[in-house]
Amino acid sequence: MPAMITERPSELARKLAAKLPIGAVLDDLAEALSTQDAAVLEAPPGSGKTTVVPLALLDQSWLGKGKILMLEPRRIAARAAAHRMAQILGEFPGQTIGYRMRLESRVSEKTRIEVITEGILTRMLQDDPSLTGVSLVIFDEFHERSLDADLALALCLKGRALFRTPAAEERGLKILVMSATLQSDRVSQLLAGAPVIHADGRLHPVDIVYSGASRPNDKTVDRVTNVTLQAIDKHPMSSILVFLPGQGEIGRCRTSLEDAIHKRNITGVTVMPLFGNLSMEEQQAALAPVLTQGHRKVVLATNIAETSLTIEGVDVVIDSGLVREPVYDPATAMTRLTTRKISKSSSTQRAGRAGRLHPGTCYRLWSPGQQDQLAAHGEPEILSADLTSLALQLFQWGIHDPAELDWMDQPPNGAWQQAVALLKRFGALSGEPPTLTGSGEQMAALPVHPRLAHLMMEGARINAVEIATLLAAVLSERDPFGQDDPDLTHRIAILTGDGPCPAQHRGWANRARQLANQYKRQLQRLAITPIEAISNRDAAVGYLITCAYPDRIARRRHGGGYQLANGRSASLPDGHSLTSARWLAVAEVGGVARRKGDSIRSAAFLDEALLDNLLAHQIEESSIVQWDKRDKRFIAERRLTIGALVIRKEELKEVPVEAKRAALIDYIRVEYARGNGLEILPWTKALRQWQARVNLLHQYVPDEGFPPMDDTALLDSLEEWLSPWLDKIRLISDFARLDLANILTSRLSWKQQQQLKSLAPERVKVPSGTSPPIDYTQSPPVLAVKLQEMFGCKQTPTIVQGRVALMIHLLSPAGRPLQVTQDLASFWQTSYHEVRKEMKGRYPKHPWPEDPLTAIPTAKTKRRK
């Protein structure tokens, strides 16, 4: 029983703050909030802001009888903060200090400070946008920039503007944003220039020790284990906090450390995990002080321990420099956990954990140079998250465009549009512009992701509420079974008591059942009438998963593995019983190290018969008229599909001519874009020459109406000149049978064809009497002729009525170029004499006269001449 304390909370807070850095700015903060409707507090880790600030502000006159809501990004931090403040007041949580989060609530009519998780605040704002009875909302650790925190702040600002202005109510809603590593200028700007208050200094100094540059092939667990063992030896009185990216690394590191501790006969050291999926008792054990003299602990934690937590006895931190975060991929509508380097602000937060109680040490598993290369701040979740929940909540507010709200970072338009499309698919939105439907309002009333809300509502419609709520609970929590057993029906069997539960997962099972019961109560309030039933439990599980993830319906491929409706391919562990299923309902897919492709982490068998009834609305019918690039043939089919999965197809008996022509022309353009030009058509060298001649006349005699005939122009006008000739094309070999010369020639009138012959002749007669061909593919056109055949030719030959001088390639008797010129007269007077001097000895049988202009032109040798 806590000791009775009679002092006011603010007095107790100020006494405590006198020993903390936050104490120096409490008066400035109180003054700022008394005159402004918002403030920004930047205070270092360990300064006491989380526990001291709410208590210190509790007696402010501007607060009146209103509550203080303080948001924490994690449940463990919310619970710890509430317990600590209640302890300071000599109370239990639920009295002056309370907390509220999923599955747990400790509040009463006496509660004045309520510590809540971020999702709870958005629910409160949906129920009451004005937050009646609340005077101050504190956003703690705002630097984490979670999607819920960004949304809650935007809605608070909107609700205050609509309902809590001084003109509308005597007391407005005040907002305080706090963090140790904050982009304070940007936050202040969002809050209309709110004052920024800095609390300088750290409670205790922290030495930073860099262990050296990390390399790409370094194994995180091995490096962490080695540095932790060194720290155990070097700091014999200290407990140690180790930051690792995820639960898998924590498990492997724990095993490695415990083995090393046992082999080295180290006593008094307990290795403890700390991550979100642990039970409350296990989390509290990691946070609690070591009660036995001479004992200490090594806490292996994710970034759950980065902020707002004090782990008793810890003054040494070992930082792996890594974090595992969800990243949404709009291309596949899937969220993947991605391991990445932390930001500088995060490294500051983690180091600060070592100086909360005593002077400490932080070991960083990287180099000072790598520290300088870290990003200043982590990327806000809103820029890389699935926005479906956010979209549903905004539509419930009557907001149709995120631009109607003030944000630190605007939600990306692509992810927003994809979220709207998914909500339409679920029937939550309809019309243009879209508005919330009755089903959408029901969906928004359930405190889960819209995918799971749709799952539960469909569960009610098939009279499978228990299975649906259990399944939603399983999918809401982290899966402790991992990829070892991806079959979700086994999880449901455990939760219904039809299967044994491993001892290490009993805490998970209890939490899942508790959460499912909560969902069941909320779902029953919607009073959804069952319309159909699925008697088989396993079939119901598969169906309900498809209700949440229709884009992940999967079918076994002939070559092994599965193809998903979103177009991705994935596989199951070798030998798993699910691999015999032709169809799967997949819930989670992820990448696996050192393996190509995706891996199915959780799924269930999907009864194919459901495609004909309950899942019939997922099937789309379409007529496909296109060129099949893989089989290199034209296809015209009627297809039944679920996303990228083709369920059935049959050949169309009648294909619209225009549709076929358009498909083939589209294929030609795709090939052109891939760098293959128009080579799919049967070009010949002569036809390319003809094309160049027409282009030349298009350029030099525009009044005659010659069409442009270069490849780009031909590509742009395929519909005009090629379409009528494509009706018989079925295979790629059919293109070679096209009479391309006739097709192209028909583009010219009879007059233009005659002009082409006279203005741009294929050949030109030279003084020797021969008629060599002109190469029109070069610019200017080239006439290649032996030098001796041009004797007596004083002027360069021309075409197009003298408008274009040919480029003359004067050849040796062996056919090699001796001179290239467009000025024959100049050549005869100058360069010819040098050529004559050099060639006369090399080709003595051929004439090399001193005066080429009076010599007889010939293509023969002297003797033959």
Side-chain angles (χ1 to χ4, degrees):
M1 185 75 180
M4 183 67 68
I5 297 177
T6 58
E7 293 177 276
R8 292 189 306 170
S10 59
E11 294 173 349
L12 291 169
R14 288 182 178 275
K15 285 183 179 180
L16 180 62
K19 304 175 183 178
L20 299 168
I22 197 67
V25 299
L26 284 180
D27 290 338
D28 294 338
L29 180 60
E31 175 64 22
L33 287 172
S34 68
T35 58
Q36 307 283 332
D37 59 10
V40 180
L41 175 61
E42 189 170 2
S47 60
K49 60 184 180 298
T50 299
T51 51
V52 171
V53 168
L55 292 173
L57 296 176
L58 195 55
D59 293 336
Q60 293 293 306
S61 60
W62 48 261
L63 197 67
K65 295 182 180 180
K67 278 185 179 182
I68 295 175
L69 296 181
M70 183 167 72
L71 274 76
E72 291 294 336
R74 295 178 178 85
R75 284 177 283 178
I76 187 172
R79 189 186 298 111
H83 275 274
R84 175 59 179 151
M85 284 189 284
Q87 183 183 37
I88 292 171
L89 300 184
E91 298 179 351
F92 288 113
Q95 296 174 280
T96 305
I97 312 298
Y99 63 89
R100 201 185 323 184
M101 62 195 70
R102 188 173 70 174
L103 297 181
E104 194 174 357
S105 178
R106 297 287 186 274
V107 294
S108 67
E109 294 181 355
K110 297 179 181 179
T111 301
R112 296 290 312 285
I113 297 174
E114 196 169 321
V115 187
I116 58 178
T117 49
E118 293 161 340
I120 298 296
L121 179 57
T122 54
R123 284 278 149 195
M124 295 173 70
L125 285 162
Q126 293 290 10
D127 296 337
D128 178 11
S130 67
L131 289 179
T132 304
V134 176
S135 295
L136 172 65
V137 178
I138 301 175
F139 290 81
D140 194 20
E141 307 299 355
F142 189 71
H143 75 281
E144 294 199 15
R145 296 295 307 281
S146 70
L147 182 62
D148 280 333
D150 274 13
L151 174 61
L153 181 55
L155 293 180
C156 276
L157 294 173
K158 186 69 171 181
R160 183 174 70 180
L162 292 174
F163 306 110
R164 297 291 294 273
T165 59
E169 186 176 324
E170 183 180 350
R171 299 185 186 279
L173 178 68
K174 296 183 183 292
I175 294 173
L176 173 60
V177 177
M178 305 193 306
S179 179
T181 51
L182 194 63
Q183 295 172 289
S184 53
D185 292 341
R186 290 190 64 204
V187 179
S188 173
Q189 183 179 1
L190 179 66
L191 300 178
V196 179
I197 297 163
H198 298 274
D200 297 324
R202 185 184 279 113
L203 185 60
H204 300 287
V206 175
D207 292 331
I208 305 296
V209 179
Y210 291 95
S211 66
S214 57
R215 295 177 297 275
N217 293 329
D218 285 344
K219 294 183 178 180
T220 299
V221 170
D222 291 345
R223 292 197 77 201
V224 168
T225 299
N226 292 335
V227 174
T228 303
L229 291 171
Q230 294 170 20
I232 289 173
D233 294 338
K234 189 171 182 179
H235 306 274
M237 303 299 292
S238 298
S239 286
I240 300 171
L241 172 61
V242 181
F243 284 101
L244 288 157
Q247 184 175 337
E249 289 85 355
I250 287 175
R252 293 193 295 275
C253 193
R254 182 180 187 179
T255 300
S256 178
L257 277 173
E258 288 179 339
D259 288 347
I261 288 171
H262 176 72
K263 290 178 181 177
R264 295 169 59 176
N265 199 28
I266 300 174
T267 59
V269 176
T270 303
V271 182
M272 311 183 76
L274 179 60
F275 50 86
N277 208 33
L278 291 174
S279 67
M280 184 180 70
E281 293 76 15
E282 291 171 309
Q283 291 178 352
Q284 291 298 329
L287 297 176
V290 177
L291 300 179
T292 306
Q293 185 69 26
H295 279 68
R296 51 199 173 127
K297 59 186 175 183
V298 175
V299 179
L300 307 178
T302 61
N303 61 346
I304 192 174
E306 193 171 297
T307 55
S308 299
L309 286 176
T310 298
I311 301 179
E312 297 291 339
V314 166
D315 52 26
V316 174
V317 165
I318 296 170
D319 189 356
S320 68
L322 301 172
V323 64
R324 186 163 295 130
E325 296 174 327
V327 175
Y328 181 66
D329 180 3
T332 60
M334 293 192 293
T335 298
R336 302 175 184 278
L337 288 175
T338 302
T339 303
R340 57 177 57 169
K341 293 179 180 178
I342 61 174
S343 64
K344 286 183 181 177
S345 62
S346 184
S347 70
T348 300
Q349 290 278 2
R350 292 183 176 190
R353 301 300 99 189
R356 303 203 75 166
L357 303 174
H358 312 283
T361 303
C362 175
Y363 292 88
R364 289 175 173 167
L365 272 64
W366 60 93
S367 68
Q370 289 175 321
Q371 173 71 15
D372 293 338
Q373 294 170 3
L374 296 178
H377 298 276
E379 184 180 73
E381 187 181 3
I382 199 169
L383 298 181
S384 60
D386 174 6
L387 299 184
T388 311
S389 290
L390 179 144
L392 182 61
Q393 293 182 67
L394 292 192
F395 277 104
Q396 189 183 22
W397 255 62
I399 295 171
H400 301 87
D401 187 339
E404 297 176 40
L405 297 177
D406 295 324
W407 306 86
M408 281 273 285
D409 293 280
Q410 191 76 15
N413 184 61
W416 169 262
Q417 294 300 334
Q418 194 166 35
V420 170
L422 182 62
L423 291 174
K424 287 181 178 179
R425 186 172 186 175
F426 287 158
L429 298 176
S430 66
E432 287 298 335
T435 55
L436 208 62
T437 63
S439 292
E441 291 176 357
Q442 290 180 315
M443 202 175 293
L446 296 170
V448 291
H449 190 283
R451 287 183 182 270
L452 300 185
H454 188 244
L455 179 156
M456 289 197 290
M457 291 167 61
E458 289 300 314
R461 291 190 179 98
I462 64 167
N463 201 27
V465 169
E466 182 182 12
I467 294 175
T469 52
L470 286 172
L471 189 56
V474 169
L475 296 172
S476 296
E477 294 285 320
R478 294 178 183 174
D479 188 350
F481 293 88
Q483 195 183 344
D484 295 337
D485 182 9
D487 193 344
L488 285 171
T489 60
H490 296 167
R491 319 282 197 278
I492 302 302
I494 290 172
L495 296 177
T496 56
D498 295 327
C501 180
Q504 69 271 26
H505 297 325
R506 288 172 186 166
W508 162 83
N510 291 334
R511 290 194 304 276
R513 292 190 190 99
Q514 185 181 356
L515 185 57
N517 288 333
Q518 180 179 321
Y519 289 161
K520 187 175 182 179
R521 291 191 296 270
Q522 293 161 338
L523 184 60
Q524 288 172 338
R525 295 192 193 109
L526 302 182
I528 297 174
T529 303
I531 57 175
E532 196 163 347
I534 298 179
S535 56
N536 183 283
R537 185 181 68 187
D538 289 355
V541 170
Y543 168 71
L544 292 172
I545 293 172
T546 67
C547 293
Y549 307 101
D551 46 332
R552 300 177 202 172
I553 294 174
R555 183 178 58 193
R556 192 174 64 239
R557 302 168 65 179
H558 294 301
Y562 286 81
Q563 183 183 7
L564 276 60
N566 63 17
R568 300 284 293 181
S569 60
S571 59
L572 286 162
D574 293 338
H576 193 275
S577 59
L578 279 179
T579 57
S580 63
R582 183 166 184 261
W583 290 86
L584 288 179
V586 178
E588 185 183 1
V589 175
V592 178
R594 295 177 296 278
R595 180 184 295 180
K596 294 182 179 180
D598 291 332
S599 178
I600 297 173
R601 297 187 181 279
S602 59
F605 159 77
L606 178 61
D607 186 353
E608 191 172 351
L610 294 173
L611 298 175
D612 296 324
N613 44 69
L614 286 176
L615 290 177
H617 66 284
Q618 298 282 3
I619 299 175
E620 297 180 350
E621 180 178 337
S622 59
S623 295
I624 303 298
V625 180
Q626 67 182 27
W627 184 265
D628 190 318
K629 291 183 291 185
R630 187 186 66 180
D631 294 337
K632 297 181 179 181
R633 66 183 185 90
F634 173 77
I635 57 173
E637 298 173 340
R638 172 181 169 269
R639 290 181 179 177
L640 298 180
T641 59
I642 296 180
L645 299 175
V646 179
I647 301 173
R648 283 191 294 274
K649 59 184 178 181
E650 59 185 31
E651 186 174 348
L652 289 175
K653 296 180 179 178
E654 295 185 6
V655 181
V657 172
E658 293 304 319
K660 179 177 182 178
R661 292 176 179 178
L664 292 171
I665 284 174
D666 181 63
Y667 168 68
I668 294 172
R669 286 182 172 141
V670 168
E671 287 297 300
Y672 186 90
R674 293 172 60 188
N676 296 325
L678 292 177
E679 298 310 312
I680 190 173
L681 301 177
W683 290 97
T684 62
K685 290 182 179 180
L687 197 52
R688 284 297 189 186
Q689 290 291 336
W690 181 91
Q691 176 190 30
R693 291 164 63 203
V694 176
N695 271 331
L696 188 74
L697 297 188
H698 169 75
Q699 179 181 357
Y700 284 98
V701 286
D703 293 343
E704 298 299 334
F706 283 89
M709 204 68 76
D710 60 275
D711 279 9
T712 301
L714 289 176
L715 187 77
D716 292 341
S717 58
L718 285 170
E719 289 85 356
E720 174 189 338
W721 65 271
L722 187 61
S723 282
W725 307 89
L726 296 177
D727 297 350
K728 294 183 179 180
I729 300 292
R730 293 198 62 82
L731 303 174
I732 197 168
S733 58
D734 293 337
F735 281 103
R737 298 187 178 94
L738 290 173
D739 187 354
L740 188 58
N742 182 53
I743 293 171
L744 290 175
T745 302
S746 66
R747 299 193 70 198
L748 303 184
S749 66
W750 183 87
K751 178 184 176 182
Q752 288 172 329
Q753 293 179 37
Q754 300 310 307
Q755 287 176 316
L756 180 64
K757 294 177 182 178
S758 62
L759 297 177
E762 295 182 52
R763 296 172 176 269
V764 64
K765 191 172 184 179
V766 297
S768 67
T770 65
S771 298
I774 301 172
D775 184 359
Y776 284 91
T777 62
Q778 302 188 58
S779 182
V782 169
L783 177 65
V785 59
K786 289 184 179 180
L787 183 147
Q788 285 79 3
E789 293 193 63
M790 298 301 290
F791 289 160
C793 186
K794 298 179 181 180
Q795 298 297 326
T796 306
T798 63
I799 54 175
V800 196
Q801 298 176 336
R803 299 180 191 180
V804 179
L806 296 176
M807 181 67 73
I808 308 301
H809 287 202
L810 295 170
L811 307 178
S812 72
R816 298 186 181 92
L818 295 175
Q819 187 72 26
V820 175
T821 182
Q822 262 187 312
D823 189 352
L824 268 178
S826 175
F827 168 72
W828 295 130
Q829 294 173 9
T830 57
S831 303
Y832 170 73
H833 300 289
E834 293 297 324
V835 172
R836 175 178 179 270
K837 186 185 300 183
E838 183 179 349
M839 293 292 111
K840 188 175 181 181
R842 184 175 300 179
Y843 299 101
K845 295 181 180 180
H846 294 267
W848 300 96
E850 290 187 9
D851 184 2
L853 294 178
T854 60
I856 298 174
T858 180
K860 302 176 180 178
T861 62
K862 293 176 182 178
R863 187 178 67 176
R864 292 181 62 193
K865 178 181 173 184

